[in-house]
Amino acid sequence: RWFTHFYVVSVLWNGFLLIWLFRAEFLGDSLPSWIQHMHLALGRDSQSENIGNEHFSALLVLLLLWLHSCRRLAECLWTSVFSNGDIHIVQYCFGLGYYIAVGSTVLCQVPTNVSSGKELSVQICWYHIVGVMMYIWASLHQHRCLAILANLRKSRSGKVVSLSHSVPSGDWFESVSCPHYFAELLIYVSMAITLGIYNVTWWCVVMYVLFNQALAAILCHEFYQENFSSYPKHRKAFIPLVF
């Protein structure tokens, strides 16, 4: 349940960045000076030219990131059923910092001068379509899997009747123990595609998500195997048929 705090911060912070980037792109406003200083501190040249369609790509990815945070916040508040677990203070602080940093990372993919008062030329490319379609597909499956986990602790009427662990089934659970983690990885991959595939910085974010979610999936997979003797042996931990 502590992850709810992360998504509150993400919705507010990334929503704020999204508004500023939208104003800069379409209304010709300048980004705040502190954002420009952050760009310079991270090594982004304020006079760099627009390469391809990176301005619109960054705006689209920031929108997807904000929508993802909104959905996850709604799921934490109204879908998921949490046990009374605690979170380490270091992990808590890191989580808050991560969702601030990841939005800033998207914003820093465009120069600080952005459109310099010029009207943004929006050109929808094939990778925007592929990325958004993959994002929607992965998000739908993640929501379904989270709903399956929540329903294990609810009665048919929707009332919470237990906080114990059970073996989930249905949707991607038939292939892996933690499909919601796999869907999270796919969501970040979809954003990498939306940015134009060749954005090295965002692929570093994807690699972080890969290792982070893989570790969590392994721990969950081992928990299922140790506590449920009849747990399906064909299920992988994280990636269907692979890992």
Side-chain angles (χ1 to χ4, degrees), residues 145-175:
C145 292
L146 290 171
I148 289 173
L149 287 175
N151 288 334
L152 292 175
R153 295 178 170 180
K154 297 179 181 179
S155 64
R156 291 186 176 182
S157 63
K159 182 179 179 180
V160 177
V161 294
S162 173
L163 294 181
S164 62
H165 294 279
S166 304
V167 177
S169 60
D171 205 76
W172 286 356
F173 278 109
E174 299 303 322
S175 300

Short mmCIF file of all heavy atoms in Angstrom, two decimals, residues 145-175:
data_model
loop_
_atom_site.label_atom_id
_atom_site.label_comp_id
_atom_site.label_asym_id
_atom_site.label_seq_id
_atom_site.Cartn_x
_atom_site.Cartn_y
_atom_site.Cartn_z
N CYS A 145 -4.46 -8.67 -14.57
CA CYS A 145 -3.71 -9.51 -13.64
C CYS A 145 -3.80 -8.97 -12.21
O CYS A 145 -3.91 -9.74 -11.25
CB CYS A 145 -2.25 -9.60 -14.07
SG CYS A 145 -2.02 -10.52 -15.61
N LEU A 146 -3.77 -7.65 -12.05
CA LEU A 146 -3.92 -7.06 -10.72
C LEU A 146 -5.33 -7.31 -10.17
O LEU A 146 -5.50 -7.53 -8.97
CB LEU A 146 -3.62 -5.57 -10.78
CG LEU A 146 -2.14 -5.21 -11.04
CD1 LEU A 146 -1.99 -3.72 -11.30
CD2 LEU A 146 -1.27 -5.63 -9.85
N ALA A 147 -6.31 -7.29 -11.06
CA ALA A 147 -7.68 -7.58 -10.63
C ALA A 147 -7.81 -9.04 -10.20
O ALA A 147 -8.52 -9.35 -9.23
CB ALA A 147 -8.65 -7.27 -11.76
N ILE A 148 -7.14 -9.94 -10.91
CA ILE A 148 -7.15 -11.36 -10.54
C ILE A 148 -6.56 -11.55 -9.14
O ILE A 148 -7.11 -12.28 -8.30
CB ILE A 148 -6.38 -12.20 -11.57
CG1 ILE A 148 -7.17 -12.28 -12.89
CG2 ILE A 148 -6.11 -13.61 -11.04
CD1 ILE A 148 -6.41 -12.93 -14.02
N LEU A 149 -5.43 -10.89 -8.87
CA LEU A 149 -4.80 -10.99 -7.55
C LEU A 149 -5.73 -10.45 -6.46
O LEU A 149 -5.85 -11.04 -5.38
CB LEU A 149 -3.48 -10.21 -7.54
CG LEU A 149 -2.31 -10.83 -8.30
CD1 LEU A 149 -1.12 -9.88 -8.30
CD2 LEU A 149 -1.91 -12.17 -7.69
N ALA A 150 -6.38 -9.33 -6.75
CA ALA A 150 -7.28 -8.74 -5.76
C ALA A 150 -8.48 -9.63 -5.49
O ALA A 150 -8.92 -9.78 -4.34
CB ALA A 150 -7.75 -7.37 -6.25
N ASN A 151 -9.00 -10.26 -6.54
CA ASN A 151 -10.20 -11.10 -6.39
C ASN A 151 -9.94 -12.37 -5.59
O ASN A 151 -10.88 -12.99 -5.08
CB ASN A 151 -10.76 -11.47 -7.77
CG ASN A 151 -11.41 -10.28 -8.45
OD1 ASN A 151 -11.88 -9.36 -7.79
ND2 ASN A 151 -11.42 -10.30 -9.78
N LEU A 152 -8.67 -12.76 -5.47
CA LEU A 152 -8.33 -13.91 -4.64
C LEU A 152 -8.65 -13.66 -3.17
O LEU A 152 -8.82 -14.61 -2.40
CB LEU A 152 -6.84 -14.25 -4.79
CG LEU A 152 -6.38 -14.80 -6.15
CD1 LEU A 152 -4.87 -14.98 -6.16
CD2 LEU A 152 -7.07 -16.14 -6.44
N ARG A 153 -8.72 -12.39 -2.80
CA ARG A 153 -8.97 -12.04 -1.41
C ARG A 153 -10.39 -11.49 -1.20
O ARG A 153 -10.69 -10.95 -0.14
CB ARG A 153 -7.94 -11.00 -0.95
CG ARG A 153 -6.52 -11.55 -0.93
CD ARG A 153 -5.50 -10.51 -0.52
NE ARG A 153 -4.20 -11.14 -0.29
CZ ARG A 153 -3.10 -10.48 0.09
NH1 ARG A 153 -3.16 -9.17 0.28
NH2 ARG A 153 -1.97 -11.12 0.28
N LYS A 154 -11.22 -11.61 -2.23
CA LYS A 154 -12.59 -11.08 -2.14
C LYS A 154 -13.60 -12.19 -2.35
O LYS A 154 -13.33 -13.20 -3.00
CB LYS A 154 -12.81 -9.99 -3.20
CG LYS A 154 -11.93 -8.76 -3.04
CD LYS A 154 -12.21 -7.75 -4.15
CE LYS A 154 -11.34 -6.52 -4.04
NZ LYS A 154 -11.60 -5.56 -5.15
N SER A 155 -14.79 -11.97 -1.83
CA SER A 155 -15.91 -12.87 -2.11
C SER A 155 -16.54 -12.46 -3.43
O SER A 155 -16.14 -11.48 -4.06
CB SER A 155 -16.95 -12.77 -0.98
OG SER A 155 -17.51 -11.46 -0.94
N ARG A 156 -17.53 -13.21 -3.87
CA ARG A 156 -18.19 -12.88 -5.13
C ARG A 156 -18.90 -11.53 -5.07
O ARG A 156 -19.10 -10.89 -6.10
CB ARG A 156 -19.20 -13.98 -5.48
CG ARG A 156 -18.54 -15.31 -5.86
CD ARG A 156 -19.59 -16.30 -6.34
NE ARG A 156 -18.96 -17.55 -6.79
CZ ARG A 156 -19.63 -18.57 -7.29
NH1 ARG A 156 -20.95 -18.50 -7.40
NH2 ARG A 156 -18.98 -19.65 -7.67
N SER A 157 -19.26 -11.11 -3.88
CA SER A 157 -19.92 -9.82 -3.72
C SER A 157 -18.93 -8.65 -3.73
O SER A 157 -19.34 -7.49 -3.73
CB SER A 157 -20.73 -9.80 -2.43
OG SER A 157 -19.88 -9.95 -1.30
N GLY A 158 -17.63 -8.99 -3.71
CA GLY A 158 -16.60 -7.95 -3.73
C GLY A 158 -16.08 -7.57 -2.36
O GLY A 158 -15.23 -6.68 -2.24
N LYS A 159 -16.53 -8.25 -1.32
CA LYS A 159 -16.08 -7.97 0.04
C LYS A 159 -14.78 -8.70 0.33
O LYS A 159 -14.61 -9.87 -0.02
CB LYS A 159 -17.14 -8.40 1.04
CG LYS A 159 -16.79 -8.10 2.48
CD LYS A 159 -17.90 -8.54 3.43
CE LYS A 159 -17.54 -8.25 4.87
NZ LYS A 159 -18.62 -8.69 5.80
N VAL A 160 -13.83 -8.01 0.97
CA VAL A 160 -12.55 -8.62 1.33
C VAL A 160 -12.78 -9.62 2.45
O VAL A 160 -13.31 -9.29 3.51
CB VAL A 160 -11.54 -7.54 1.78
CG1 VAL A 160 -10.24 -8.20 2.23
CG2 VAL A 160 -11.27 -6.56 0.65
N VAL A 161 -12.38 -10.87 2.20
CA VAL A 161 -12.62 -11.93 3.17
C VAL A 161 -11.33 -12.55 3.69
O VAL A 161 -11.34 -13.31 4.65
CB VAL A 161 -13.50 -13.04 2.55
CG1 VAL A 161 -14.89 -12.50 2.26
CG2 VAL A 161 -12.87 -13.61 1.28
N SER A 162 -10.20 -12.23 3.05
CA SER A 162 -8.93 -12.83 3.47
C SER A 162 -7.76 -11.97 3.00
O SER A 162 -7.87 -11.28 1.98
CB SER A 162 -8.79 -14.24 2.90
OG SER A 162 -7.50 -14.77 3.17
N LEU A 163 -6.68 -12.02 3.76
CA LEU A 163 -5.46 -11.34 3.36
C LEU A 163 -4.33 -12.34 3.10
O LEU A 163 -3.18 -11.96 2.94
CB LEU A 163 -5.01 -10.34 4.43
CG LEU A 163 -5.93 -9.13 4.67
CD1 LEU A 163 -5.36 -8.22 5.75
CD2 LEU A 163 -6.14 -8.33 3.38
N SER A 164 -4.69 -13.62 3.06
CA SER A 164 -3.69 -14.66 2.83
C SER A 164 -3.37 -14.78 1.34
O SER A 164 -4.08 -14.24 0.49
CB SER A 164 -4.21 -16.00 3.35
OG SER A 164 -5.39 -16.37 2.65
N HIS A 165 -2.29 -15.49 1.04
CA HIS A 165 -1.86 -15.69 -0.35
C HIS A 165 -2.51 -16.94 -0.93
O HIS A 165 -2.67 -17.95 -0.24
CB HIS A 165 -0.34 -15.83 -0.42
CG HIS A 165 0.39 -14.56 -0.05
ND1 HIS A 165 0.56 -13.52 -0.91
CD2 HIS A 165 0.97 -14.19 1.12
CE1 HIS A 165 1.23 -12.55 -0.31
NE2 HIS A 165 1.49 -12.93 0.93
N SER A 166 -2.85 -16.87 -2.21
CA SER A 166 -3.41 -18.00 -2.94
C SER A 166 -2.75 -18.08 -4.30
O SER A 166 -2.07 -17.14 -4.73
CB SER A 166 -4.93 -17.87 -3.09
OG SER A 166 -5.57 -17.72 -1.84
N VAL A 167 -2.94 -19.20 -4.98
CA VAL A 167 -2.36 -19.37 -6.31
C VAL A 167 -3.27 -18.72 -7.35
O VAL A 167 -4.42 -19.13 -7.52
CB VAL A 167 -2.16 -20.86 -6.64
CG1 VAL A 167 -1.61 -21.02 -8.05
CG2 VAL A 167 -1.22 -21.50 -5.62
N PRO A 168 -2.79 -17.70 -8.07
CA PRO A 168 -3.62 -17.05 -9.09
C PRO A 168 -3.66 -17.87 -10.37
O PRO A 168 -2.76 -18.67 -10.65
CB PRO A 168 -2.89 -15.71 -9.32
CG PRO A 168 -1.45 -16.02 -9.00
CD PRO A 168 -1.48 -17.05 -7.90
N SER A 169 -4.69 -17.65 -11.16
CA SER A 169 -4.82 -18.32 -12.45
C SER A 169 -5.61 -17.42 -13.39
O SER A 169 -6.32 -16.51 -12.95
CB SER A 169 -5.53 -19.68 -12.30
OG SER A 169 -6.83 -19.50 -11.76
N GLY A 170 -5.46 -17.67 -14.68
CA GLY A 170 -6.14 -16.86 -15.67
C GLY A 170 -5.22 -15.84 -16.32
O GLY A 170 -4.18 -15.48 -15.74
N ASP A 171 -5.58 -15.41 -17.51
CA ASP A 171 -4.80 -14.45 -18.27
C ASP A 171 -3.34 -14.91 -18.35
O ASP A 171 -3.07 -16.08 -18.56
CB ASP A 171 -4.93 -13.05 -17.66
CG ASP A 171 -4.67 -11.93 -18.67
OD1 ASP A 171 -5.56 -11.68 -19.50
OD2 ASP A 171 -3.58 -11.34 -18.65
N TRP A 172 -2.39 -13.99 -18.16
CA TRP A 172 -0.97 -14.35 -18.29
C TRP A 172 -0.45 -15.16 -17.11
O TRP A 172 0.68 -15.65 -17.15
CB TRP A 172 -0.14 -13.08 -18.46
CG TRP A 172 -0.27 -12.46 -19.83
CD1 TRP A 172 -0.96 -12.94 -20.89
CD2 TRP A 172 0.31 -11.22 -20.26
NE1 TRP A 172 -0.84 -12.10 -21.97
CE2 TRP A 172 -0.08 -11.04 -21.62
CE3 TRP A 172 1.12 -10.26 -19.65
CZ2 TRP A 172 0.32 -9.93 -22.37
CZ3 TRP A 172 1.51 -9.15 -20.39
CH2 TRP A 172 1.12 -8.99 -21.73
N PHE A 173 -1.24 -15.32 -16.07
CA PHE A 173 -0.82 -16.16 -14.94
C PHE A 173 -0.66 -17.62 -15.36
O PHE A 173 0.01 -18.38 -14.66
CB PHE A 173 -1.82 -16.07 -13.79
CG PHE A 173 -1.64 -14.86 -12.92
CD1 PHE A 173 -2.57 -13.83 -12.95
CD2 PHE A 173 -0.55 -14.75 -12.08
CE1 PHE A 173 -2.41 -12.71 -12.15
CE2 PHE A 173 -0.38 -13.63 -11.27
CZ PHE A 173 -1.31 -12.60 -11.31
N GLU A 174 -1.25 -18.00 -16.47
CA GLU A 174 -1.10 -19.37 -16.94
C GLU A 174 0.32 -19.64 -17.45
O GLU A 174 0.72 -20.79 -17.58
CB GLU A 174 -2.11 -19.65 -18.06
CG GLU A 174 -3.57 -19.51 -17.63
CD GLU A 174 -3.92 -20.41 -16.46
OE1 GLU A 174 -3.42 -21.55 -16.42
OE2 GLU A 174 -4.70 -19.97 -15.58
N SER A 175 1.08 -18.58 -17.73
CA SER A 175 2.43 -18.74 -18.27
C SER A 175 3.53 -18.35 -17.30
O SER A 175 4.59 -18.96 -17.28
CB SER A 175 2.58 -17.90 -19.55
OG SER A 175 1.65 -18.30 -20.54
#
